[in-house]
Amino acid sequence: MTPRPLPVVERGTLALGRQLGQGGQGTVHQVTNKKINEADDGGWDVAYKEYATAVLPDLDAAALASQVGLLGELSADEGRWLCDKTAWPAAVVENQGRACGFLMRAVPEPFRFAFRSLAGTSTGTKRLANLEYLLNDDAYVAGIGLTISERDRLDILADLAATLTHLHRIGITVGDLSPKNLLFTTDPEPRCFLIDCDAMRVRGATVLPQAETPDWQVLAGEEKATRSSDVYKLALLAVRLFARDQTTTDLAALAALSPGLGGLARMSLSPDAARRPTPAVWAEQLSAAAATASTIPASAPAARGRASASNASSSGGPGGGAPTGGPTRVPGGQQTSGKGSVLLGLAAVVAVIVIIVAFVATHSGDGSGPEPTSAAQPTVSWDDTSGTSEDPSEGSYGDGGGSDSGGAAADPSTTPPSAEDQAFGDISTGDCLSDYYEDGSWSSSTPTTTSCSDTDAYFRVVSIEDGSCTSDDMTWYHSNSDYSDTNLCLDRNYAVGQCMFAEADGEMLSMYFNATTPCGAGIPDKYQYTVRLTRVYPGGAPDDACGSDRLWKPGNGTVLCGRAIWKKHGLRDM
């Protein structure tokens, strides 16, 4: 039997629309003149990932061709399932005979949601329902427009575990399994969808060298992209999904929900990969826990405002302005893995999908398409309406960045900026902001500048990016109306007169640098002292620079001087 030729498209035949994302691996574009799987209600819109020149020397073209060809090797049912659950590469794209990228399906509606701003107002934007959104507290999740119950979380994980079981059975390991590479929906039932599929390992081969998302790495020395590494990361996801936390490894929240799941997570995180259970065991336990879990979704919070000094002590937290810790991670084309990822999705398929064999076919004037055959290979065909049809479903193709949104696509060159866009656009590097971050959201929907020497100058803008900031920076994410991003990369700004909370550790006074408070506010239970800064040396200073005041070094070479001005009753002077 003569093997069927692999689907290959010449780069020059692609009619490219707007750029959907750009990152370290390459750039993703809308394709306006091709469809995938035309037998399914007219076909699926197409996106093209073009690899960056810098990564082409490391590109394994044979591995990419093998991924595309896998659909033709699987049974019709297996091929249909793979196209339902993953954004699988559908065709190799070549430039003068050399592989330079691949085609895949664009994002469908069920894996996007109507995003609301942190101020509680609708932005008119749809974003990809990236699982990373759910690793935040319930008030934040509900506040941005997601309706998720405890049972939904369990069902989504159960679907992911079942998907991993099936992938492993046909020789695929995910490798970079992280919430950045997972989409979810609850319509009509909770389920997940895997993206960034060219990063997966298929029968031992990978298109590019394996990379991992920060905070989602396997243990040091462990091989990447194995079945046991997938289980390790599934356990991390389960732990963090119920802890509502981006980076924790604390099993308490998961174990409180289900002791059985807590035990599974403990085994799955074992350094001994051989002791880890299979995804099938996870799927069974998750489904059992879901049967009795709450179906009540979290409620959206009331609108937030700036806290006053009078309510600082009674609330148990800092008053005034309070940068109180690391940022909530906000994805949808803005927050991406170090190597980037191509954010794609598949719609729920109600009717049986017929996956066709014929690869490239030119439409005639009457719009007729190629005749389908019985094999499990998606069709990529010409669409003679290119240039006149609407843009495909919106969404972020976040190979290292790019915004994500939904509805009818707009032309970025003609989309006027919103008032929020303008507010973020007016910010410059070096500006200081009086906004603060508390309980999962910023104190205002847009940044407010102030003099860097003012006591309410909590953050300084160190750079403005259209992608991710460095790991040391706090990021204030913003998606513009034209699908670009304006992300403010912030560093803590210290000013003479600012007050912070502290507690004694022997003769040392440990200060909480992000817990800024009005100097006259009460001291919450978790702290003991209020310290006021008397001098700030951004460039460093000798150890005797503070004289009789205390000295702290919060990092980045900064030296702070200050003294305790208030203490709780019964404590000694510090």
Side-chain angles (χ1 to χ4, degrees), residues 505-524:
D505 183 9
E507 294 299 321
M508 302 295 293
L509 194 61
S510 300
M511 184 153 65
Y512 290 77
F513 298 108
N514 283 341
T516 302
T517 178
C519 295
I523 302 173

Side-chain angles (χ1 to χ4, degrees), residues 26 44 73 93 107 116 148 201 222 242 262 264 290 293 296 334 398 401 415 417 441 463 481-482 492 496 526 557 564:
W44 303 332
E73 300 174 22
V93 177
V107 178
R116 290 202 301 262
I148 298 291
R201 174 177 282 178
E222 183 175 337
F242 290 98
L264 269 185
I296 301 173
Q334 305 96 317
T415 301
S441 66
S463 68
S481 301
D482 64 356
R492 177 74 167 84
V496 172
K526 66 182 293 186

